[in-house]
Amino acid sequence: MPRLTQPRLTQPRLTQPRITRLFALVPFVCGLVLLPRSAQAQTLLFQETFTGSTLTNPGLYRIVGSNNTNTVDGVIKGPSVCLTGNNNPSDPFLPGCAAGLDGLPPSGVDALSSGALRLTSNRVGFIDQGPPPRNFNTQGERGSIILNQAFPTSNGLRIEFDFFIYNGRSNGAPPGADGLSFFLLDGNVTNPTPGAFGGSLGYAQETLAGGSSSDTPGVAGGYIGIGFDEFGNFSNGTQGRVGGIGQSPDSVVLRGAGNGLGGYAYLEGRNLGPSIDDAATVNTNTPRSAVTPRRVRITLTPDSILTVEIDFTGTGTAYQTVVNQLDLKAVPGQPPVPASLKVGFAASTGFSTAIHELRNLAISDLTTPPPPPPPPPPPDGQVVQRLRLVKRITAVIRNGVRTEFNQFVNDPSTEDDTALGWNQLSTGAPIGLLNVNPIDALRSGDDIEYTIYYLADGNQPIFNVNLCDQIPEGTTYIPGSSLLSQNNSAPTAAGSFLSPLQPLPSGNACTNPSNPNGSLVYGLNTISSNPGANFGFTRFRSRIRSQV
């Protein structure tokens, strides 16, 4: 028989210690994961989901927004900028939202990991503007958040995020306004603040000479502003904005560099077929869970080539290119790209209103981590059998509401993360979380979905494989939830559940022979080493029965 160069992995085991603090961490299996799809390979610089009860790095943000402290015209009190998963309306960093606002549960607080950052609600009226007389400029809400961290541009940048614009309302104008902006500003600007709101969407200026009620500067050191404009005035050369084509609703619009009251010129825009907002929710109180997000991907290369893509399905699989490789170096008046940039968002409403929210911000550079060197070929006549495993939390279900974790999270503690074969998965990588944010502690009754991905990437098949996954402490296995998918097949029922303290079968792969919480045993039989037939996953759910 040829000699095995690695231990025979016919009985893969959980090789790391069992994690008892389930609410913070997931127990791992040996091995792991992935290269993401090559088209999205990059180095992650920053990530914030905005889905929990607090921010990951609250001290990095500068937040500006209106706050209705007086009950004016019967408008609900509370700030425009709020975190919908935070139950503390007095949080000094980013408060929770007021109860009674549209799009939220009656409490004003979203369920675990299903929240968003709200920049404006759709309140109609004069928001904290004092007694009459009042005018157009005192109507509506304003909200902005700027990440006060500079990102080098030498390797380019890619920014991805989801936005929701929904439940448009009207107070004498067509419903749905004004829009949402994303902007980049010079990384050397300290204490950055937004520009004028209304049609300037928190990026560009407004001037007295242009017909506005005041001179309001644009974003200091602004490099580029991208408006996702449902009402259409970001395209309009009114109120002191430079250039434009007139009002253009449901458009993605670019305005260039500016400082103070000068610049921010109209560059180009594209009117889109689908609505920027969710038009089906106009004049309704639709919950966000029934609203389709828009997924945005913005790419700026080191040599100032800008591309903007938007996916109206929110899945990240159906992008439309709306700005196609615009060379900013060739734009008159546009300065060279700064050595570093900061990022910001803003939104506003007026006589017409809508809810504007953000989720799943990720900032990466465009460097592709070098692929790992291939394993050295075995000496002639030798056999390599290798089985890689990675375990992730792929969903949490609370009160029937399922929150999926579809991002890839790299575990730097193992070199298996860069195994080339993971890109065969339909998801492009073993997606899911290594841990659940401990701030968003799971509760009794929550269901946790675990997925174990496997990959056999040696040069020989592996025979008689059985896999044991022991139920985490403090949880109870949900009968009938155990599934198996092989080579991207549809998941089907699989595995045998052994109840707590039930004797384990001989030859099992379980780490704790006493089986205190129950175990799932999968007979995978022979796993091929041939690409296309050498991967898959198992999956099950367990329910928290007590805090551990």
Side-chain angles (χ1 to χ4, degrees), residues 148-449:
N148 198 21
Q149 175 177 329
F151 297 95
T153 58
S154 55
N155 291 319
L157 290 172
R158 173 168 288 162
I159 302 98
E160 299 172 272
F161 57 91
D162 297 329
F163 72 79
F164 300 81
I165 303 178
Y166 61 110
N167 289 359
R169 297 173 65 190
S170 173
N171 189 20
D178 282 296
L180 170 77
S181 70
F182 166 84
F183 49 86
L184 297 170
L185 63 146
D186 192 321
N188 288 322
V189 174
T190 58
N191 301 322
T193 56
F197 287 93
S200 295
L201 297 186
Y203 177 68
Q205 76 278 52
E206 288 185 356
T207 67
L208 282 166
S212 182
S213 62
S214 63
D215 285 335
T216 305
V219 170
Y223 178 67
I224 195 76
I226 304 172
F228 302 91
D229 191 6
E230 70 258 34
F231 197 74
N233 274 338
F234 200 57
S235 300
N236 212 347
T238 56
Q239 297 180 302
R241 291 182 291 274
V242 177
I245 59 171
Q247 185 179 11
S248 181
D250 289 322
S251 297
V252 176
V253 179
L254 300 187
R255 286 190 173 270
N259 205 46
L261 298 178
Y264 314 100
Y266 176 89
L267 302 184
E268 66 173 69
R270 180 175 173 183
N271 185 268
L272 303 175
S275 297
I276 289 290
D277 61 335
D278 191 322
T281 67
V282 166
N283 293 322
T284 71
N285 183 11
T286 301
R288 186 192 320 104
S289 59
V291 177
T292 301
R294 280 53 168 136
R295 180 77 176 159
V296 176
R297 183 165 64 194
I298 298 166
T299 304
L300 179 68
T301 68
D303 57 346
S304 306
I305 305 299
L306 178 70
T307 298
V308 180
E309 302 165 279
I310 185 168
D311 178 2
F312 286 92
T313 72
T315 62
T317 61
Y319 282 108
Q320 302 178 32
T321 301
V322 293
V323 177
N324 189 16
Q325 298 187 356
L326 175 64
D327 187 353
L328 294 175
K329 300 187 301 298
V331 173
Q334 187 73 12
V337 62
S340 65
L341 291 168
K342 295 179 179 180
V343 305
F345 298 87
S348 54
T349 69
F351 280 94
S352 294
T353 69
I355 297 170
H356 298 83
E357 295 175 336
L358 296 172
R359 185 188 277 175
N360 296 329
L361 171 64
I363 302 172
S364 307
D365 66 24
L366 302 183
T367 57
T368 300
D380 291 343
Q382 290 194 352
V383 172
V384 174
Q385 291 176 307
R386 181 169 49 230
L387 183 63
R388 304 181 193 269
L389 302 171
V390 56
K391 187 172 184 177
R392 291 291 185 266
I393 296 174
T394 45
V396 170
I397 300 94
R398 173 175 292 173
N399 298 327
V401 178
R402 177 182 174 89
T403 300
E404 296 185 347
F405 306 115
N406 294 323
Q407 66 267 45
F408 164 69
V409 179
N410 186 21
D411 178 5
S413 68
T414 170
E415 63 182 12
D416 285 347
D417 287 14
T418 52
L420 296 175
W422 292 116
N423 60 10
Q424 301 175 93
L425 288 165
S426 60
T427 53
I431 59 172
L433 299 182
L434 291 163
N435 58 74
V436 173
N437 189 338
I439 297 172
D440 298 321
L442 302 178
R443 305 173 187 172
S444 298
D446 287 351
D447 294 350
I448 310 172
E449 180 182 270

Side-chain angles (χ1 to χ4, degrees), residues 56-113:
T56 304
N57 298 288
L60 290 178
Y61 297 98
R62 291 183 57 80
I63 297 169
V64 173
S66 49
N67 184 16
N68 193 39
T69 58
N70 300 313
T71 306
V72 179
D73 299 337
V75 177
I76 294 173
K77 289 184 179 182
S80 293
V81 183
C82 55
L83 200 61
T84 69
N86 186 356
N87 63 4
N88 180 9
S90 301
D91 190 307
F93 289 111
L94 184 55
C97 300
L101 293 175
D102 279 6
L104 297 177
S107 66
V109 183
D110 274 320
L112 170 75
S113 300

Side-chain angles (χ1 to χ4, degrees), residues 480-534:
S481 66
S482 179
L483 303 172
L484 170 66
S485 170
Q486 295 176 295
N487 311 315
N488 288 329
S489 66
T492 57
S496 299
F497 176 66
L498 303 171
S499 58
L501 304 180
Q502 182 177 346
L504 298 172
S506 61
N508 71 84
C510 303
T511 55
N512 189 338
S514 64
N515 187 27
N517 302 304
S519 302
L520 280 164
V521 176
Y522 300 89
L524 302 182
N525 300 317
T526 298
I527 303 178
S528 172
S529 59
N530 295 325
N534 63 341

